[in-house]
Amino acid sequence: MVHLILGLNALLALIGKNKKRLIVPFAGLFVFAALRYDFGNDYSSYLRWFNYIKSTGHSPFKTQILFTYLNEISPSFLFMIAFTSAVFLVSVYFLIRNNVSDEFVGISFLIFVINPYLFLMNLSSIRQSIATSLFILSIYFAKNKKLILYVILICCAALFHKSAIVLLPVFLIANEKPVKNWHIVAVVCVILFLLFSPSKVNELTSMFLEYFNDKTYTAYINGSKWETNSLRATLLSSLYLVYIFINIKKLRGSTLLYSKLYSIAIIFAIMAYRIPMATRFQMYFDLFSLVALPGIIETNLKNEKSDRISILINVYVFPLLLLVIYILRYYSFFVNPLWEKFTEYKTIFGAFK
């Protein structure tokens, strides 16, 4: 049932090729998300916390007071599920609508549903999905150099999920300034240094744990709740970064901005080879692939300086390779026992596969 719903909505988006028609597949995803019951690894935990807050007036979320308040004012848990689903999907809808041209919105939507860590995982990570939605909105203000509004939104996001506080420095790179060669070299050097310096990585993660003082994060770092990425997964993730880096000097406007931000997601994916919870921070930036990847394809198609070989590689060969990786990850996600709770779709009206 999960595959059927995702596939049908992706087909609608690909056939439509129009921003106005994009609302139909997003409406389909909203119905899927709003009516879900016990779907995803964290659903039962959020339900238990909701009932605890309602019955005791106390909250396990401590400083994340906005999420506590949302639990308190929600008339039911089903309402909260529908509300948070709407917030997340509306933010993604406008991210695509405002930054992707008509011809490529179908590709953006396909990436959104075929990468299970974008749509499905955010349904499970309810607090972080709200924080991510606020982060998406904050990028609009960062782009227009509205620092105060950016900071306010990031602080609000941190009151839903405290890890969002690390997004404050992103303001410095959330712009349309061109990327220079030395920027790329510096990023590659830092990545290689961290990958081959496990002691330095352990030192940095210890500083992180000390700052957040959170037992859950400690469990992630120690690997008891989250495994590091395999070498194969790391190498496959690096191909997305290669694709961006070989094209980034051609990019302009929103495509350039969101490609920079998506690069951060891939860097976190690569660092997950050493740090288990790096994927948690990757989630904040992964959604920007919905603008970056279609934008790179479009840039190469419309760039008058692009020769046939460049178009062949950047419009067909590389994107098809990345699509194959997405398909493989989609398959591995649903056969992985860790994500078994995503394989069975239940609704508030019953349960069915």
Side-chain angles (χ1 to χ4, degrees), residues 99 138-146 174-176 253-254 257:
N99 298 287
S138 75
I139 296 301
Y140 169 82
F141 295 109
K143 178 181 177 181
N144 291 283
K145 300 179 181 179
K146 305 291 185 181
N175 53 56
E176 299 174 0
S254 295
L257 186 159

Side-chain angles (χ1 to χ4, degrees), residues 184-199:
I184 298 174
V185 172
V187 169
V188 172
C189 288
V190 170
I191 292 173
L192 292 176
F193 173 75
L194 292 175
L195 285 177
F196 293 100
S197 302
S199 59

Side-chain angles (χ1 to χ4, degrees), residues 242-254:
V242 171
Y243 185 56
I244 290 176
F245 280 175
I246 64 177
N247 286 283
I248 199 163
K249 296 191 71 175
K250 308 174 188 175
L251 308 180
R252 299 292 183 271
S254 295

Side-chain angles (χ1 to χ4, degrees), residues 213-331:
N213 190 27
D214 190 293
K215 294 181 179 179
T216 301
Y217 290 164
T218 302
Y220 283 132
I221 294 294
N222 293 333
S224 61
K225 292 188 68 175
W226 209 271
E227 297 180 354
T228 55
N229 279 354
S230 65
L231 178 60
R232 182 182 65 179
T234 302
L235 292 174
L236 291 177
S237 294
S238 67
L239 291 177
Y240 291 89
L241 193 60
V242 171
Y243 185 56
I244 290 176
F245 280 175
I246 64 177
N247 286 283
I248 199 163
K249 296 191 71 175
K250 308 174 188 175
L251 308 180
R252 299 292 183 271
S254 295
T255 301
L256 173 59
L257 186 159
Y258 288 109
S259 293
K260 290 181 184 178
L261 297 178
Y262 179 49
S263 298
I264 300 176
I266 307 170
I267 292 170
F268 276 121
I270 294 172
M271 291 313 303
Y273 181 68
R274 292 290 184 191
I275 310 171
M277 72 171 300
T279 51
R280 276 292 180 179
F281 295 97
Q282 177 188 349
M283 288 177 66
Y284 285 116
F285 300 92
D286 245 352
L287 284 163
F288 299 129
S289 62
L290 306 181
V291 178
L293 297 179
I296 293 173
I297 297 173
E298 181 180 12
T299 298
N300 280 283
L301 276 174
K302 296 183 176 180
N303 191 341
E304 295 179 356
K305 296 181 180 180
S306 297
D307 53 35
R308 291 183 178 180
I309 295 178
S310 176
I311 291 177
L312 177 64
I313 294 174
N314 293 307
V315 177
Y316 299 103
V317 176
F318 228 125
L320 285 174
L321 174 61
L322 301 183
L323 177 62
V324 170
I325 295 173
Y326 275 136
I327 294 172
L328 291 174
R329 286 183 171 173
Y330 184 89
Y331 171 78

